[in-house]
Amino acid sequence: MKRCLIIGGGLAGLTAASILSQKNISVTIIESSPKLGGRTYSFFDKETNSIIDNGQHILMGCYKETISFLRLIGAENNFEYQKNLYLKFVSRNKKQFKIDASKYFYPFNLLFAIINYDAITAKDKLSFIPFLIKLPFINKKSLSRLNVKEWLAGENQNQTLIKNFWEILCVGALNTNLEKASACIFYEVLIEIFFNGNFASTIILPKFGLSESIINPAQEFIQKNNGQIILSETVKQILVENQKVVEVKTKKNIFTEFDCIITAIPFYAFKKIVKNGNPNFEPALLAGRLELSHSTILNIHIWLKENKLQEKFYGLLDSPLHWIFVKENHINIVISDADYLAEKSKEEIFDFATDELFQFTSVVKTDILNYKILKEKRATFVPAIDILYKRPESKTEIKNLFLAGDWINTALPSTIESAVKSGRMAAEIILNEN
């Protein structure tokens, strides 16, 4: 039986392990944390008697890789699926606007949803709709040196339209601003959402905490297929001899009994372990030419005496708060591209967030019982123009080493879908070489 060692128990590693273990490959996951999931997990908060996600994750119907993974591990029923795209937005004066694609059939339902979206003017729609229709015919190469702001400006998308639609979509999908984000990567996102059928544009939300919805089922699936999972064990070094990994050292053990290795860890962690004892290792993997910067996501969980919000989630127009998700006993505010708040105190962030919250909703200060603030400072990498062609492939020049993680060349931004796709890519290469 072929043996595969997987370094990292986030979604990339779990995906690879699930696919390989089902195909009778002996897999062992080594994870430095005492939990699985990487940046996708939930935990029980004793103070509020609540299960809290470390960060709210929206899936979409176009997440084909993720949906396939959920089916594989038997977790597809842990999610709620929209039949048609439905979004509700709120302005600072508490006026509500909706994008509702429940009328007519695809693609006319999406077209009429935009026509009836009153947060943009009739004049805005006259430039928006032709641009949307034009998208499939755009030469992607023409966007390779443009950021999203430059691209939209060149397509006559005015500031109101950008603020009330394109910026919401870009920041939500890429976790960075329009000036930093690659137009090419945003183009790929738009094609996936709008031109792959009605289901592709719909929103998918977990019914339970992220660990309960996806991570625990993955763990159970791997273990049922005789996979081994080792937690709280940090890899310190991978040793390469004659273009082959021969040894993996952790704080506790030395691993030598394996046929192949998948590193499914963040880029900064990957660089650290390959530098130890392998000074010429980085250039061989192209990692020496890749420099990633990261972007923060803040999640503010607020418990209320009474929930007055009717929808499952809201988007906020022209606000530093991007989304409000309504849970069973609390609300979760999401601020993407939040580096400017990363070093602020919890009290400062709470005051900042609630000041905005009161302007957009019926929530008042006396409604608030408790709050928690979670900072994910390296939530995603910034999908900038200069890294577009530098992301390494899964297969490396080291014969038995394969890469996974949302940062490798999946042609997607730093999302769950990219992580899952990278794990599937690495697993399939190994299976094809088996």
Side-chain angles (χ1 to χ4, degrees):
M1 181 185 291
K2 197 167 188 177
R3 299 157 300 179
C4 183
L5 192 64
I6 299 174
I7 302 171
L11 280 171
L14 291 173
T15 302
S18 297
I19 294 169
L20 291 173
S21 65
Q22 189 202 31
K23 297 293 185 181
N24 205 33
I25 302 292
S26 175
V27 299
T28 298
I29 294 176
I30 303 175
E31 168 56 47
S32 62
S33 168
K35 59 169 181 57
L36 294 171
R39 289 161 285 162
T40 306
Y41 66 93
S42 54
F43 62 93
F44 181 74
D45 180 62
K46 292 181 180 179
E47 184 180 354
T48 59
N49 197 35
S50 304
I51 290 177
I52 304 174
D53 291 330
N54 74 309
Q56 178 67 48
H57 290 268
I58 293 180
L59 307 183
M60 297 192 72
C62 59
Y63 279 31
K64 297 175 185 177
E65 301 276 353
T66 306
I67 293 169
S68 177
F69 174 56
L70 294 177
R71 288 197 192 103
L72 174 67
I73 63 174
E76 67 268 37
N77 292 331
N78 294 339
F79 291 78
E80 295 181 355
Y81 303 80
Q82 289 184 340
K83 291 183 179 179
N84 300 284
L85 176 64
Y86 181 85
L87 299 167
K88 185 163 278 189
F89 295 96
V90 187
S91 64
R92 198 170 292 276
N93 61 6
K94 301 178 184 177
K95 186 176 180 180
Q96 296 189 359
F97 305 88
K98 63 182 179 180
I99 295 178
D100 184 357
S102 61
K103 293 183 179 180
Y104 309 109
F105 53 88
Y106 175 84
F108 299 103
N109 61 334
L110 295 178
L111 188 62
F112 278 95
I114 299 302
I115 290 172
N116 292 316
Y117 177 48
D118 293 332
I120 56 178
T121 67
K123 184 179 178 182
D124 294 336
K125 292 167 189 174
L126 288 175
S127 61
F128 176 91
I129 293 171
F131 174 53
L132 196 63
I133 294 171
K134 175 184 175 182
L135 269 176
F137 308 102
I138 291 176
N139 181 355
K140 195 171 74 169
K141 288 184 179 180
S142 68
L143 307 177
S144 62
R145 304 313 303 173
L146 297 177
N147 63 37
V148 174
K149 184 177 181 179
E150 292 167 339
W151 180 32
L152 295 177
E155 295 290 346
N156 299 315
Q157 307 295 288
N158 68 30
Q159 193 59 32
T160 303
L161 179 54
I162 289 172
K163 279 285 182 186
N164 289 344
F165 189 82
W166 293 121
E167 188 172 284
I168 296 167
L169 191 56
C170 180
V171 174
L174 306 183
N175 190 33
T176 193
N177 60 57
L178 278 65
E179 290 85 355
K180 291 181 181 178
S182 158
C184 222
I185 291 180
F186 191 48
Y187 165 86
E188 295 286 1
V189 171
L190 298 182
I191 292 296
E192 286 294 322
I193 292 174
F194 292 110
F195 295 95
N196 277 294
N198 181 65
F199 182 62
S201 66
T202 59
I203 304 296
I204 302 171
L205 292 174
K207 293 179 182 178
F208 318 108
L210 290 169
S211 293
E212 292 73 21
S213 294
I214 187 169
I215 305 306
N216 294 349
Q219 179 177 357
E220 291 166 10
F221 182 84
I222 293 163
Q223 290 174 330
K224 184 181 73 175
N225 286 294
N226 301 313
Q228 183 182 8
I229 296 172
I230 303 171
L231 299 177
S232 301
E233 187 150 356
T234 303
V235 172
K236 303 298 292 181
Q237 182 187 88
I238 53 179
L239 182 64
V240 178
E241 291 180 359
N242 299 320
Q243 293 295 90
K244 188 175 182 180
V245 178
V246 295
E247 185 178 273
V248 173
K249 290 184 179 180
T250 72
K251 284 186 176 181
K252 304 174 183 177
N253 293 293
I254 296 176
F255 294 85
T256 57
E257 299 297 317
F258 52 80
D259 299 296
C260 57
I261 288 183
I262 297 174
T263 61
I265 53 180
F267 175 64
Y268 57 86
F270 169 75
K271 287 184 72 175
K272 185 176 180 180
I273 65 170
V274 298
K275 279 183 178 179
N276 292 336
N278 297 287
N280 298 318
F281 193 45
E282 269 189 280
L285 296 172
L286 305 182
R289 288 187 266 150
L290 179 65
E291 290 296 333
L292 293 180
S293 56
H294 294 83
S295 191
T296 302
I297 295 179
L298 278 177
N299 282 266
I300 303 107
H301 298 267
I302 298 177
W303 284 261
L304 305 170
K305 291 180 183 177
E306 180 186 0
N307 174 29
K308 301 174 184 178
L309 304 177
Q310 301 301 311
E311 302 290 342
K312 291 181 179 177
F313 62 97
Y314 298 85
L316 274 56
L317 297 175
D318 198 16
S319 170
L321 313 186
H322 296 113
W323 299 95
I324 300 173
F325 292 87
V326 182
K327 307 290 185 176
E328 185 176 348
N329 62 353
H330 72 284
I331 61 173
N332 178 8
I333 297 170
V334 179
I335 306 177
S336 300
D337 191 25
D339 288 349
Y340 65 101
L341 294 172
E343 303 306 322
K344 298 285 186 182
S345 70
K346 291 185 177 181
E347 293 75 19
E348 288 174 310
I349 294 169
F350 175 73
D351 290 341
F352 170 79
T354 52
D355 180 61
E356 285 287 307
L357 179 67
F358 301 152
Q359 295 181 55
F360 283 83
T361 71
S362 58
V363 176
V364 295
K365 193 168 187 178
T366 53
D367 291 334
I368 297 174
L369 297 172
N370 205 340
Y371 73 92
K372 301 280 181 182
I373 294 174
L374 301 178
K375 301 177 183 179
E376 194 74 54
K377 292 186 179 181
R378 285 171 162 169
T380 62
F381 70 82
V382 176
I385 296 169
D386 58 355
I387 64 103
L388 196 59
Y389 302 106
K390 295 180 180 179
R391 294 164 74 179
E393 303 298 328
S394 182
K395 190 171 184 177
T396 73
E397 294 176 21
I398 308 303
K399 296 173 185 177
N400 62 341
L401 177 66
F402 305 90
L403 305 182
D406 60 12
W407 55 276
I408 76 160
N409 186 20
T410 62
L412 297 172
S414 185
T415 57
I416 283 179
E417 179 74 349
S418 183
V420 171
K421 182 178 179 180
S422 74
R424 191 266 301 164
M425 289 164 59
E428 287 192 351
I429 293 170
I430 290 169
L431 290 172
N432 290 333
E433 292 183 349
N434 192 19

